[in-house]
Amino acid sequence: MMNDIDEIVNKFQEQGYKITPQRRGIFEILVGNESHPKAEDIYDALKDKMPDVSLATVYNTLNTLKELGMVNVLSIIEDNSIRYDPTTEVHDHLFCLGCNRIFDVERDANERDFPQKEIPGFQLIDRTQVTYYGYCPDCQKMRKADK
Ligand SMILES: [Zn+2]
Ligand SMILES: [Zn+2]
């Protein structure tokens, strides 16, 4: 979970990583970010104010954050993308097939009705995440307007 910059900086420093302005810029983009950005999105957001940042730096920093358990990585088959999620608590996702945006779903883990009878003997762990597919309200409006 990435709540504030200082927490991330401390964790990086504890592990012996240097805090460069580029890394700090990446942290700033991720804190409180609910858009599930791709590495390219982070790079695009950063490169205007930091022309010396490279996509490789963004990837390296994201990998380190992943190793430290501060971001979750989502692999999206529909648009063949890897997304980064600074909200690491278990939660479900809605994927919009129209605009490829991902939205968080808050749902109590106890309320999940997993079809246990259909996979007898399979042991679930508490990191189960579900992705639902559909169209967001914006895309539904556009689809109606197209008709
Ligand atoms: Zn949409
Ligand atoms: Zn999420």
Side-chain angles (χ1 to χ4, degrees):
M1 185 68 179
M2 298 178 67
N3 282 322
D4 70 281
I5 300 282
D6 293 339
E7 199 187 313
I8 309 161
V9 166
N10 285 343
K11 209 154 180 184
F12 256 64
Q13 284 172 337
E14 271 169 29
Q15 303 292 322
Y17 292 104
K18 272 195 223 143
I19 304 300
T20 60
Q22 288 84 356
R23 278 191 175 147
R24 204 180 170 88
I26 294 165
F27 301 160
E28 280 168 4
I29 287 170
L30 280 169
V31 167
N33 192 322
E34 293 180 358
S35 71
H36 306 84
K38 299 175 212 171
E40 291 83 358
D41 297 330
I42 296 169
Y43 173 68
D44 285 344
L46 211 56
K47 70 176 181 215
D48 285 339
K49 56 176 182 174
M50 267 178 202
D52 57 341
V53 74
S54 70
L55 190 54
T57 301
V58 175
Y59 273 113
N60 288 339
T61 304
L62 287 167
N63 278 335
T64 308
L65 286 166
K66 181 187 159 193
E67 279 164 24
L68 296 176
M70 303 184 92
V71 289
N72 277 350
V73 179
L74 304 172
S75 177
I76 304 297
I77 297 162
E78 274 63 26
D79 67 349
N80 197 21
S81 69
I82 303 288
R83 311 292 188 95
Y84 294 89
D85 191 348
T87 304
T88 53
E89 284 82 9
V90 175
H91 61 281
D92 296 332
H93 290 110
L94 295 168
F95 179 81
C96 177
L97 294 161
C99 60
N100 293 353
R101 281 187 296 173
I102 299 175
F103 303 88
D104 285 337
V105 188
E106 304 298 335
R107 197 153 65 96
D108 190 332
N110 297 321
E111 287 174 15
R112 288 157 196 227
D113 45 352
F114 183 77
Q116 192 68 64
K117 339 187 253 301
E118 292 177 21
I119 312 176
F122 192 90
Q123 185 190 21
L124 276 187
I125 54 166
D126 63 0
R127 295 202 57 77
T128 309
Q129 298 199 7
V130 180
T131 302
Y132 299 91
Y133 298 92
Y135 291 95
C136 73
D138 292 345
C139 287
Q140 287 175 53
K141 263 182 241 157
M142 294 228 290
R143 285 161 64 83
K144 270 188 200 135
D146 280 348
K147 279 180 187 160

